[in-house]
Amino acid sequence: MPITSEKDEMILLAEEQKDSNGLTESKTSHLHHVLRKKLELAFHKQTSTVVVHDIVKIVTEHSAIDLAYAASELPPRARPVIYENLSNSNEKIAFLLNTDSSTRSAVLHYISDEEIKNILEEMAPDEGVEILEDIPERRFRRVMEILESTKAAKIREIKKHQRNTAGRLMTNEFFSFTKDVKVKEAASHIRDTPGTDLTRQIFIVNREGILQGYVPARNLIVNSPHLPLEQVMRPVLYKVTADASREEVVEIVEKYKSTVLAVVDSTNRLVGVITNEDVLDAIADIADETIANMAGTAEKFSEHEPFIKRFLSRAPWLIVTLCAGLINVGVMSSFQRYDGGVLTFVMFFVPLITGMSGNIGIQCSTILVRSMAIGLISVTNRTEAILKELLMGITAGTTFGLLCGISVYALDFVGISGSGFTPVAVGVMVGIGLMGACIGSTALGVFSPLFFARIGIDPAVASGPIVTALNDFLSMSIYFLIAIGLSSLFF
């Protein structure tokens, strides 16, 4: 039976009531949640006429950006229906730019080459490249053949650069003038070219396109229209080449608070500009990838992939963890010949040892990875950063080792633990064992990211899977060796 409109409203009201009584959420999150529920209810109806009517009503009530985020949580077959019912090309462009890759793929597979061409003609070249990433190469060539030649050339120019570089972040549509152009002439040209976005800086180049300086957009308003741009020009202090990494771009913009970043070639010829919006997109991508690497998965959190694909993206590091667990079993088995007496009792502290040392190691590696990602660690201060983290880990290990030893001694002394052995001996063995394990995990957490960075692998992978997988083996080995050594002194 189809769901009636009255029942739909009742369900949505119930959801909203549940949200209001549950966890606190922002207005944006609440809107997204309600919109997703509306769309899900509409697509669950069985009568196609009713579905289209409801979808049109929902689309007219919400912005294309909100619909773009909500559509990513719908079944792939439903996503093109949202796009199809958007009222104009501007909304369709906003939808495609703000949704995820899987939704774009579903929509682009549904629409014709001609419609893709029409959309690209109204987009900036860098936005067009972002859209065209989600279509096969053969179809890309077909679209380029029917696209206006100038626009196609600009798209190809950006697409030739490697992913995650300044060349991919930049747009090659910008305003640039020679020094002798007057303020009123520049303003008139900008006014007559509405298809190119006006950034907060207008660049000054010579006849060969070599970058000379820039003029803040505000100066076109506050200065006399008869002044040449040379008189209001400022020097360009920060710029990057097209092959610079996106991390370098983010670091420069964040450090120097630059609103627009010039992109030049090897001869200092201006080839593009990077705006704050481009940098924000890069920051979001870097954050997603870093979090995924730290969790030990290649899964993209923003996409709703098939279950098997999500599983396979998580499996590699889980296999590493499985192997590390089997090694841990071997470590414990190798100490079986020492079984009996006090060593049997200290075995019960293995979860405490691995848990404490693991947390300290992950804290050290996470702090280092973050510092490396935002450019706080360089060649000159790397040694200082390493020593600080080692000192912090050693201090934490020593402090909590002493605290643990005293606690174990006190519990054994009053008879709560009931080990039957000398309380001092048990406390010393567990306390010093925890110190050693924490110091070993600190070294692992500090040097793992640096090692991976040296061999060209993203150091974020060391913050989670590597430290977690190897810490148990390392900390248990240290703990057992210390316990065995001390037991020979006490007994």
Side-chain angles (χ1 to χ4, degrees), residues 83-84 86 88-96 115 119:
Y83 171 86
E84 188 180 39
L86 292 168
N88 56 60
S89 59
N90 288 334
E91 290 191 349
K92 291 181 177 181
I93 290 173
F95 180 89
L96 289 173
E115 184 168 356
I119 290 173

Side-chain angles (χ1 to χ4, degrees), residues 163-179:
R163 291 189 178 189
N164 303 330
T165 63
R168 278 296 183 92
L169 291 175
M170 73 180 188
T171 178
N172 49 15
E173 284 189 344
F174 52 87
F175 291 107
S176 63
F177 304 94
T178 55
K179 293 188 291 187

Side-chain angles (χ1 to χ4, degrees), residues 44 91 232 235 238 330 339 370 414:
H44 276 110
E91 290 191 349
V232 293
Y238 316 111
D339 193 18
R370 179 186 178 276
V414 299

Side-chain angles (χ1 to χ4, degrees), residues 111-237:
I111 64 179
S112 65
D113 292 351
E114 186 67 26
E115 184 168 356
I116 295 177
K117 188 257 308 184
N118 294 335
I119 290 173
L120 291 175
E121 288 178 348
E122 299 186 39
M123 300 174 70
D126 58 320
E127 296 174 340
V129 172
E130 182 180 350
I131 297 298
L132 294 172
E133 293 286 4
D134 298 304
I135 66 173
E137 183 64 26
R138 181 176 296 180
R139 193 177 188 196
F140 170 79
R141 290 196 296 267
R142 289 205 312 264
V143 173
M144 289 297 99
E145 288 174 0
I146 61 176
L147 187 62
E148 189 267 326
S149 59
T150 303
K151 177 74 73 172
K154 290 181 177 180
I155 289 176
R156 287 195 182 97
E157 180 66 24
I158 293 177
K159 198 172 187 297
K160 75 179 183 180
H161 297 289
Q162 294 184 356
R163 291 189 178 189
N164 303 330
T165 63
R168 278 296 183 92
L169 291 175
M170 73 180 188
T171 178
N172 49 15
E173 284 189 344
F174 52 87
F175 291 107
S176 63
F177 304 94
T178 55
K179 293 188 291 187
D180 57 333
V181 173
K182 292 183 170 50
V183 169
K184 67 175 182 179
E185 296 172 347
S188 176
H189 177 77
I190 292 171
R191 186 169 53 251
D192 295 338
T193 318
T196 302
D197 290 335
L198 175 63
T199 61
R200 296 177 67 178
Q201 295 178 12
I202 291 91
F203 291 95
I204 307 301
V205 297
N206 64 14
R207 300 293 178 184
E208 290 74 35
I210 305 300
L211 182 62
Q212 304 293 305
Y214 78 96
V215 174
R218 183 175 180 272
N219 285 10
L220 299 183
I221 302 173
V222 300
N223 286 291
S224 168
H226 302 291
L227 280 177
L229 293 178
E230 183 178 13
Q231 293 190 19
V232 293
M233 182 180 73
R234 299 179 184 179
V236 175
L237 301 178

